[in-house]
Amino acid sequence: MMKKLVISMLLATAGIASSADAIAAPASAVATQAAAAAATVHYRSATIDGVKMFYREAGPADGPVLLLLHGFPTSSHMFRNLIPLLADRYHVIAPDYPGFGQSDAPDHRQFTYSFAHYADMVDTLMGKIGARRYAMYVMDYGAPVGYRLALKHPERVSGLIVQNGNAYEEGLGAFWDPIKTYWQSGSAKDREAQAWLVGLDATKFQYTDGVRDLSRISPDNWVQDQALLDRPGNKDIQLDLFYDYRTNVPLYPAFQAFFRERKPPTLIVWGKNDKIFPEPGAHPYKRDLPDAEMHILDTGHFALEDKLDEMAPLIRDFLDRKVAAR
């Protein structure tokens, strides 16, 4: 009961109008601290295909399962603040793909870095955990990983939360043109031309571009991500993945057919200022999921970093109505 009360307090204070911020802030801060203290997050790993795959796990073992799938260039770290706000009721699982976060990063010449492989590994992980049905939060790379998983086991998907995760041609804007050139040629020259994407300027850009109040974005984000990107051999891992992303695009019609045929309850929370997966990629979801709940937010790529106070109540309300109640 105390956990539920704390979460209710947090979500209620998050929605209070700006005119009351000065009054609400102390209560919100106390509620946030209490919620975080109430939730125990476990940091685990499982060996899959000979590779240590790290994951965060929290919440009741018999609760509705929520699988959190991260984007590039981060890891399950992107969900660190969201997990405690859901873990009183939901069994939350957030893995790091190989080459990211705390998971192993074997040499790219000895391990296949592909979205198909990632989906298979997440599938194996969920089997090890015993999760046979789950909602998915997909973001950036998490979208093709999650949607490939959905094609393997459509009956297991209880709901979708989509945050700047693409499944439509409209979502591949000008940012992708140089990467498409690499897809077409596969040449060493075009491969090396994408290497700037694993540099510090690009990493920082993904966290700061399109954000109205930069003081809300912790520099720990790009410092941590860049340290992991700078590991020996990691550049080639990421360049392999940039090239493999081309294999997701032919699957878009299959992803869209899954949406139409299975009609999973869907919440879309999208940063409209994102140049990588821009807003035009959000609206086509409504063609195939007309009942999807859509919220376009005034932020950039990593929306959780500055819009958690808006997103957490939306996510919690959606899960309570559409996932836990089913």
Side-chain angles (χ1 to χ4, degrees), residues 15-293:
I16 294 176
S18 57
S19 62
D21 282 351
I23 298 174
S28 178
V30 170
T32 302
Q33 293 169 4
T40 299
V41 180
H42 298 275
Y43 305 92
R44 310 187 191 276
S45 63
T47 300
I48 301 171
D49 293 352
V51 171
K52 183 195 77 173
M53 194 169 186
F54 172 88
Y55 62 99
R56 301 170 194 246
E57 185 174 18
D62 60 350
V65 177
L66 175 62
L67 173 61
L68 306 177
L69 295 171
H70 70 81
F72 166 85
T74 185
S75 63
S76 60
H77 179 261
M78 70 168 281
F79 298 113
R80 68 198 180 282
N81 296 320
L82 178 64
I83 291 172
L85 304 183
L86 303 175
D88 65 311
R89 184 173 189 181
Y90 297 93
H91 183 183
V92 185
I93 300 163
D96 292 352
Y97 319 131
F100 293 83
Q102 303 301 317
S103 288
D104 285 347
D107 190 289
H108 77 122
R109 293 164 295 189
Q110 301 170 354
F111 181 87
T112 301
Y113 287 93
S114 71
F115 291 90
H117 197 183
Y118 282 171
D120 288 343
M121 294 183 75
V122 173
D123 188 22
T124 299
L125 175 65
M126 298 301 276
K128 286 177 176 286
I129 294 171
R132 306 299 296 178
R133 186 165 172 78
Y134 39 79
M136 295 191 295
Y137 183 130
V138 301
M139 186 269 174
D140 189 292
Y141 278 8
V145 173
Y147 297 155
R148 285 172 180 267
L149 186 58
L151 295 184
K152 287 166 65 76
H153 306 294
E155 75 286 352
R156 295 184 183 179
V157 180
S158 61
L160 292 174
I161 301 167
V162 183
Q163 188 247 301
N164 297 75
N166 196 50
Y168 295 87
E169 292 275 2
E170 293 97 318
L172 297 178
F175 176 89
W176 289 86
D177 289 346
I179 301 175
K180 289 178 180 179
T181 299
Y182 175 34
W183 293 349
Q184 292 167 359
S185 73
S187 71
K189 177 184 176 182
D190 289 331
R191 177 183 176 91
E192 191 59 30
Q194 311 313 313
W196 72 275
L197 289 168
V198 300
L200 177 59
D201 287 346
T203 302
K204 185 175 180 180
F205 167 86
Q206 292 190 66
Y207 281 101
T208 59
D209 186 66
V211 174
R212 300 302 181 192
D213 182 358
L214 292 178
S215 71
R216 301 190 71 171
I217 311 300
S218 170
D220 293 345
N221 286 300
W222 56 83
V223 169
Q224 172 171 299
D225 285 356
Q226 195 60 46
L228 295 170
L229 287 171
D230 288 343
R231 289 176 293 179
N234 199 270
K235 181 180 85 168
D236 280 315
I237 290 171
Q238 304 306 330
L239 292 175
D240 282 359
L241 286 166
F242 295 157
Y243 188 60
D244 187 71
Y245 198 94
R246 78 194 191 284
T247 67
N248 296 319
V249 181
L251 290 177
Y252 283 179
F255 297 163
Q256 295 158 19
F258 162 75
F259 302 150
R260 288 192 304 273
E261 294 164 9
R262 303 297 300 196
K263 294 182 174 57
T266 300
L267 171 69
I268 300 168
V269 279
W270 201 285
K272 70 177 182 178
N273 306 322
D274 185 3
K275 290 186 176 66
I276 301 170
F277 291 113
E279 183 181 349
H283 298 285
Y285 278 94
K286 295 286 282 186
R287 290 201 300 259
D288 299 306
L289 292 162
D291 294 329
E293 303 172 22

Side-chain angles (χ1 to χ4, degrees), residues 1-8:
M1 289 298 294
M2 179 58 69
K3 290 183 181 179
K4 291 183 178 179
L5 176 60
V6 166
I7 296 296
S8 297

